[in-house]
Amino acid sequence: MQVTWRSPSNIAIIKYWGKHGNQLPNNASLSLTLSNASTETSLKLLRKRSKKEIEVDFRFEGEKNPAFAEKITTYITSLHKEMSWLSTHRLQIHSSNSFPHSAGIASSASSMSALALCLLSTDVMQGRKLKPEQFFSVAGNYARLGSGSACRSVFPGFALWGKTDLIETASDKTAIPFPENYHPDFEEMQDSILIVHAGEKPVSSRAGHALMRTHSMADQRYANAHTRLKTLIQVLRSGDWETFCSITEAEALELHALMMTSDPSYILMRPNTLAIIEKIRHFRADTKIPLCFTLDAGPNVHVLYPWFVKKEVRNFIQSELLEFCAKKKVIYDQMGRGPVQVME
Ligand code: DP6
């Protein structure tokens, strides 16, 4: 028995930073699901060879990878009470990314969502009763347990994760596709990922989230996220790119400000990150073309812009921003349609 899923990465507009309990977010976040940056994972059930409770044979891009294997084994062990077949088979899991691992773009969202989708598909084949319309929501719940941001990757377009009084159906347990009726000017939103530095991050997301527990600005941060989310929802419906840009940049800079002012403190931007940010702001002021930047917990810059200025922005990236990128590397991506099951 084998299943394969290809699942995309996502980039948060409203950031998830800070969590409690078993992978529950301290604020609601909203992201754009990407198209090209994705992970393809297959799960095959084989006859057990050892007496180990959970037997995982994991390969990443064809090679054994003990660090990933350990993370996956811990995750699967936490699920085996719900899915008893996890301990009665040897699990062969093969995974590969559409982007080079060394590019330094976060892959936990795409990899954990792809794995969660494989686990849930197999569970259904093993007899679990699940209404088809519940499949992605339940998959999101399992993805969240592997990596919080991964639950947003199971939906196309925009996804929202975390309880908020702004949306009745929002939940801490899984994401929802939201908003579904956004303005056509946000359709096919472009995301060009400028690789400023491709190395390992100096702080894991898990350690980063933990810093929020004692952060002196934590309460203000969660209040800001709530206010910005409220405005963003209106903006996505009305097509107001200008306000979209100011919210998106404020969120990215606040995330980094929180890291800079935590104890210990981390500066994850590089000089070239700031150089790119300045160039983007000047270009926007000079041309009035809507474009903005966002960052995840690292130095690389995501440039967001509408499809109707694609030509102008790509020319700008090629002529003015490439010199700040490691090996002139840019990944051109855009809003995506969500995960797909790959048929054997
Ligand atoms: C800065 O989802 O990677 O990208 O739940 O510990 O796996 P874990 O964290 P993770 O955190 C993502 C943080 C972020 C913002 C975001 O994606 O919302």
Side-chain angles (χ1 to χ4, degrees):
M1 187 185 276
Q2 174 164 335
V3 290
T4 303
W5 278 89
R6 184 163 56 243
S7 189
S9 189
N10 69 75
I11 179 72
I13 312 296
I14 303 293
K15 307 291 180 183
Y16 145 55
W17 199 242
K19 60 179 169 180
H20 63 278
N22 190 9
Q23 289 285 97
L24 302 169
N26 289 354
N27 66 273
S29 57
L30 190 147
S31 61
L32 171 74
T33 296
L34 298 180
S35 174
N36 303 332
S38 63
T39 300
E40 187 168 313
T41 296
S42 65
L43 167 65
K44 197 170 182 174
L45 301 192
L46 299 167
R47 186 171 303 155
K48 261 188 129 165
R49 281 202 296 221
S50 79
K51 291 210 169 74
K52 278 195 233 158
E53 189 170 39
I54 301 293
E55 202 180 334
V56 177
D57 167 6
F58 176 73
R59 273 165 204 264
F60 179 69
E61 322 231 285
E63 310 270 329
K64 282 200 184 296
N65 185 315
F68 283 2
E70 195 188 317
K71 200 177 165 198
I72 286 175
T73 307
T74 308
Y75 169 64
I76 287 180
T77 305
S78 74
L79 296 179
H80 97 277
K81 286 209 173 66
E82 283 182 58
M83 300 183 186
S84 59
W85 52 269
L86 286 171
S87 55
T88 54
H89 294 82
R90 178 156 63 96
L91 311 170
Q92 189 187 73
I93 301 172
H94 287 183
S95 197
S96 59
N97 288 344
S98 64
F99 47 88
H101 181 60
S102 59
I105 61 172
S107 57
S108 73
S110 55
S111 59
M112 292 316 295
S113 55
L115 179 58
L117 288 156
C118 288
L119 291 170
L120 186 59
S121 282
T122 308
D123 206 31
V124 169
M125 288 192 279
Q126 293 284 334
R128 176 175 182 153
K129 298 270 173 290
L130 191 65
K131 291 196 185 114
E133 64 270 25
Q134 290 176 331
F135 182 83
F136 288 103
S137 167
V138 174
N141 179 45
Y142 289 121
R144 168 186 62 87
L145 295 168
S147 176
S149 55
C151 72
R152 300 185 309 235
S153 275
V154 304
F155 293 108
F158 297 106
L160 181 132
W161 168 46
K163 251 168 96 99
T164 163
D165 58 12
L166 302 168
I167 305 134
E168 215 179 309
T169 49
S171 155
D172 280 350
K173 298 275 175 70
T174 190
I176 54 169
F178 187 89
E180 290 186 286
N181 52 345
Y182 51 87
H183 193 276
D185 282 3
F186 288 109
E187 192 65 74
E188 280 185 50
M189 186 187 291
Q190 303 293 305
D191 178 10
S192 300
I193 311 167
L194 310 188
I195 308 301
V196 168
H197 181 75
E200 283 277 308
K201 290 180 184 173
V203 57
S204 68
S205 321
R206 180 194 287 223
H209 290 290
L211 295 171
M212 286 305 286
R213 282 194 216 127
T214 52
H215 203 294
S216 61
M217 297 177 207
D219 290 344
Q220 187 61 51
R221 157 65 195 151
Y222 303 132
N224 292 350
H226 180 269
T227 311
R228 292 196 192 110
L229 177 62
K230 191 172 178 181
T231 315
L232 180 65
I233 293 168
Q234 290 161 4
V235 157
L236 290 175
R237 288 184 173 139
S238 67
D240 175 358
W241 258 93
E242 198 181 325
T243 312
F244 175 85
C245 289
S246 63
I247 292 175
T248 302
E249 294 188 355
E251 273 292 298
L253 294 175
E254 187 162 287
L255 170 71
H256 281 255
L258 289 164
M259 286 184 285
M260 287 189 221
T261 50
S262 61
D263 182 16
S265 143
Y266 292 96
I267 301 180
L268 302 183
M269 289 193 248
R270 296 277 173 126
N272 281 352
T273 312
L274 285 172
I276 291 170
I277 288 175
E278 292 230 296
K279 286 265 182 192
I280 288 173
R281 288 188 163 178
H282 282 137
F283 179 76
R284 184 171 63 216
D286 292 348
T287 62
K288 306 282 178 275
I289 287 175
L291 86 167
C292 57
F293 66 85
T294 188
L295 309 162
D296 62 15
N300 301 326
V301 182
H302 290 247
V303 188
L304 302 179
Y305 51 96
W307 59 269
F308 51 80
V309 293
K310 191 163 156 177
K311 208 169 123 225
E312 294 86 334
V313 175
R314 291 203 179 178
N315 283 341
F316 162 62
I317 291 174
Q318 289 291 327
S319 62
E320 296 207 38
L321 302 183
L322 236 42
E323 61 178 294
F324 302 108
C325 301
K327 296 189 185 139
K328 301 198 182 314
K329 181 96 187 120
V330 181
I331 297 174
Y332 289 102
D333 212 335
Q334 59 175 35
M335 178 188 271
R337 295 174 207 280
V340 283
Q341 185 166 9
V342 182
M343 292 305 168
E344 306 307 327

